[in-house]
Amino acid sequence: MSTPAVPDRKPMTLHRLRDMHAKGEKITMLTAYDATFARLVDDAGVDTILVGDSLGMLVQGHSSTVPVSIEDMVYHTRCVARGNRTAWVVGDLPFGSYQESREQALRSSVALMQAGAHMVKLEGGGWTAETVHFLTERGIPVCAHLGLTPQSVHALGGYRIQGRDEAGAQTLRKHAKELADAGAAMMVLELMPSAVARDVQADNPGVMTIGIGAGQGTAGQVLVLHDMLHVTRGKLPRFVRNFMAEGGSVEDAVRRYVAAVKDGSFPDEAVHAY
């Protein structure tokens, strides 16, 4: 049975997202890289669209996100912005576009914002807190990204769960607190034990944590659109659920994802968490 269509809604704002978080309503996020899918996921009721540098693998055919350029991200952000009507758009700062200096991060962020992003996302903790503070002081909303950070996959030794031991968990919590204090409004927590993600959210109640392979204790969830539609080739991570198998169309699958996140049935701690 199809889920009902989402009624017309006003454009999402940071204030509305924070209000949802304060009231305990789960925030939904999916990736999109073009105008057609941006319009589809927006119409299906997704709160936030991530123009992810995962497009490097899914659209461009690379083996990682590392080759993606800021020019690539600007192009795809423009495409998404044209198709989107109401969702909050987060644009990824790709590898090499913010590591050099705070000023480089500002230039890259301005390019994404001018292309249609409402917020930028950057990976890692520690040194990034200073960059986050520099950007937020200048009116650029920032989403941080901790845990598995794909741009650093070579340094991390592959796609591995982060924070499994006490030292790793404490480092993640420390970095999250620093990023929150620097002004990060949102934080993607990827591939970490559920208990660690819950601690990060509890430590930083004003930050909207968005989980992917981080259990139910976050303020919301994100998946790669291609993964949850089960069109990605190869073995998928255990935190992915095939919503296409449950729906009669792509749009219905996205609506089911939104409903499952909102009602707490996804992710299932016994199936999708660590």
Side-chain angles (χ1 to χ4, degrees):
M1 184 176 67
S2 296
T3 55
V6 175
D8 288 340
R9 60 178 182 173
K10 295 179 180 178
M12 191 63 68
T13 64
L14 189 56
H15 176 77
R16 286 186 61 201
L17 288 167
R18 283 174 165 153
D19 188 54
M20 289 167 58
H21 175 44
K23 293 177 178 176
E25 179 180 350
K26 295 290 188 179
I27 296 166
T28 57
M29 179 186 284
L30 280 176
T31 60
Y33 315 112
D34 60 39
T36 299
F37 276 104
R39 179 62 182 269
L40 184 148
V41 300
D42 179 42
D43 286 347
V46 170
D47 300 313
T48 57
I49 295 174
L50 172 62
V51 189
D53 59 4
S54 48
L55 66 87
M57 294 178 285
L58 294 163
V59 178
Q60 298 176 333
H62 296 299
S63 60
S64 75
T65 64
V66 172
V68 178
S69 68
I70 187 63
E71 290 78 17
D72 294 332
M73 293 308 306
V74 166
Y75 170 79
H76 286 278
T77 299
R78 282 202 186 105
C79 293
V80 166
R82 291 188 191 111
N84 177 57
R85 295 186 303 168
T86 65
W88 180 258
V89 177
V90 182
D92 250 340
L93 289 168
F95 181 71
S97 70
Y98 60 96
Q99 286 90 346
E100 180 181 325
S101 65
R102 300 177 306 173
E103 290 74 18
Q104 183 201 30
L106 178 61
R107 289 193 298 272
S108 299
S109 298
V110 168
L112 288 181
M113 299 285 283
Q114 290 179 336
H118 303 125
M119 171 182 266
V120 300
K121 182 171 77 66
L122 54 77
E123 293 185 3
W127 67 272
T128 56
E130 183 181 351
T131 300
V132 169
H133 181 66
F134 187 78
L135 295 177
T136 55
E137 265 197 331
R138 286 153 179 77
I140 297 175
V142 176
C143 174
H145 185 154
L146 289 175
L148 175 68
T149 48
Q151 293 174 14
S152 305
V153 65
H154 300 306
L156 295 173
Y159 295 94
R160 301 184 180 193
I161 302 168
Q162 303 298 304
R164 273 193 155 168
D165 60 12
E166 183 62 24
Q170 290 306 314
T171 296
L172 288 174
R173 292 178 68 178
K174 176 178 180 289
H175 287 170
K177 186 67 168 63
E178 291 169 349
L179 289 162
D181 290 346
M186 190 176 283
M187 201 174 296
V188 170
L189 305 180
E190 183 170 359
L191 209 62
M192 67 176 65
S194 299
V196 178
R198 284 196 186 93
D199 286 342
V200 169
Q201 182 62 87
D203 293 343
N204 308 284
V207 174
M208 296 168 280
T209 58
I210 308 297
I212 176 167
Q216 291 183 338
T218 53
Q221 297 293 324
V222 60
L223 283 178
V224 171
L225 181 66
H226 295 59
D227 291 352
M228 57 84 71
L229 295 177
H230 222 256
V231 297
T232 305
R233 300 295 88 185
K235 184 180 179 181
L236 293 174
R238 64 178 287 180
F239 57 74
V240 175
R241 175 170 152 188
N242 182 0
F243 285 90
M244 191 64 187
E246 307 165 21
S249 68
V250 171
E251 189 166 353
D252 188 52
V254 175
R255 289 197 183 111
R256 288 175 182 272
Y257 165 76
V258 170
V261 173
K262 296 288 187 183
D263 68 22
S265 59
F266 177 79
D268 182 337
E269 288 283 342
V271 178
H272 307 112
Y274 301 89

